[in-house]
Amino acid sequence: MLAIIGGSGMNQLSCLEISHQQNIKTPYGEPSGPLTFGKMNNQDIVFLARHGHGHSIPPHAINYRANLWALHAQKPTHVIAVAAVGGIRADLTPGRMVIPNQLIDYTYGRAFTYFDDASHPVTHIDFTHPYSQMTREMLLNAVRNANATIIDGGVYAAVQGPRLETAAEINRLERDGADIVGMTGMPETALARELGLNYATIGVVVNAAAGRGTNINAVSLEEIHVVLDKAMVDVRNVLKHMVVDYGD
Ligand code: HPA
């Protein structure tokens, strides 16, 4: 079974033949919504909309621990996270897709670990390479088979939101080495590692980051929605090919 976490613009997976939905309770509370089970090209899929039904949960209020726990309980072979991001690097223009290989965490005040009470021995996961290389390669294969274009590698800056950044903040993120910026990559990626999941992200650039490209003066939210809808067609195409390659 393959798990897919849908982000902004992907509150449902339209190419999924749904068999059923299930509400899961976890020791950490409720996930963003029910898990949706079904098949895509004969491959078993479990899908979760990160922001809940109708995109009602903002990034800082998502129960990441419950989400990952619920997915982990389905024993997925891989977890693919889809995430809308802003492009910092000049070539990462709206509509581009990126499979990041590194991240920097700027979030705060989120429940970010499963190892925070006396019931666990003190545990320090290795996070040198935060994404599963195996899962990244599976995605890259799917991209090739889909005849799609994607950027292999990049540094994802996870920011708190829900506001967008100042131009100076984006300059700082760039100096830090970040290529893309988004609000949901952490703690999701670290929690996936704590659970031993094979997890990778497809970042979909939906806008030039604040102060960049066409957004010198302001980030256009209308533009984001237009790009998002278009780009999700490409993402779905990649996801379908991933399933074909590894489905039998
Ligand atoms: N900044 C942070 N998160 C985002 C952006 C952005 O510009 N675009 C989409 N998610």
Side-chain angles (χ1 to χ4, degrees):
M1 166 128 49
L2 206 69
I4 298 173
I5 304 176
S8 297
M10 194 177 263
N11 294 322
Q12 54 192 25
L13 201 55
S14 53
C15 41
L16 188 65
E17 295 159 42
I18 297 173
S19 64
H20 63 287
Q21 291 196 314
Q22 199 180 344
N23 284 305
I24 309 263
K25 287 217 163 55
T26 82
Y28 303 94
E30 305 227 337
S32 298
L35 301 187
T36 302
F37 294 85
K39 283 194 187 284
M40 204 159 72
N41 291 332
N42 267 337
Q43 163 87 25
D44 288 323
I45 303 281
V46 54
F47 175 80
L48 175 64
R50 187 189 282 118
H51 295 279
H53 187 67
H55 200 278
S56 51
I57 312 171
H60 61 282
I62 290 168
N63 190 341
Y64 294 96
R65 291 198 298 186
N67 284 356
L68 273 291
W69 190 269
L71 290 175
H72 177 246
Q74 314 312 313
K75 301 192 170 33
T77 48
H78 296 274
V79 181
I80 306 298
V82 181
V85 297
I88 299 176
R89 220 170 71 195
D91 61 319
L92 299 180
T93 49
R96 293 248 163 195
M97 295 188 284
V98 187
I99 303 182
N101 64 333
Q102 276 296 333
L103 67 77
I104 305 176
D105 185 12
Y106 301 91
T107 65
Y108 49 87
R110 302 181 179 191
F112 59 91
T113 181
Y114 294 108
F115 299 127
D116 64 349
D117 61 35
S119 66
H120 296 101
V122 175
T123 305
H124 306 285
I125 52 156
D126 171 62
F127 206 42
T128 311
H129 299 288
Y131 300 100
S132 158
Q133 188 55 21
M134 202 166 59
T135 308
R136 291 185 72 258
E137 269 161 27
M138 183 185 67
L139 268 175
L140 287 165
N141 252 321
V143 168
R144 276 189 282 275
N145 290 337
N147 260 326
T149 308
I150 207 156
I151 286 142
D152 175 7
V155 178
Y156 177 110
V159 296
Q160 180 70 358
R163 68 166 176 82
L164 293 164
E165 298 69 43
T166 66
E169 284 171 335
I170 293 299
N171 289 340
R172 173 173 76 133
L173 297 184
E174 183 169 54
R175 285 195 300 277
D176 284 356
D179 301 304
I180 51 178
V181 55
M183 300 178 191
T184 56
M186 285 295 284
E188 193 173 277
T189 311
L191 292 169
R193 178 60 55 83
E194 285 190 351
L195 292 173
L197 291 164
N198 296 316
Y199 173 101
T201 291
I202 304 182
V204 184
V205 180
V206 293
N207 61 284
R212 299 298 161 102
T214 51
N215 293 332
I216 301 253
N217 294 316
V219 176
S220 157
L221 295 183
E222 291 87 70
E223 185 200 318
I224 289 184
H225 287 293
V226 173
V227 176
L228 201 52
D229 288 345
K230 270 204 218 139
M232 286 307 150
V233 176
D234 294 336
V235 171
R236 274 196 290 271
N237 188 27
V238 169
L239 293 179
K240 275 192 216 158
H241 281 81
M242 177 172 65
V243 172
V244 169
D245 288 349
Y246 292 84
D248 44 30

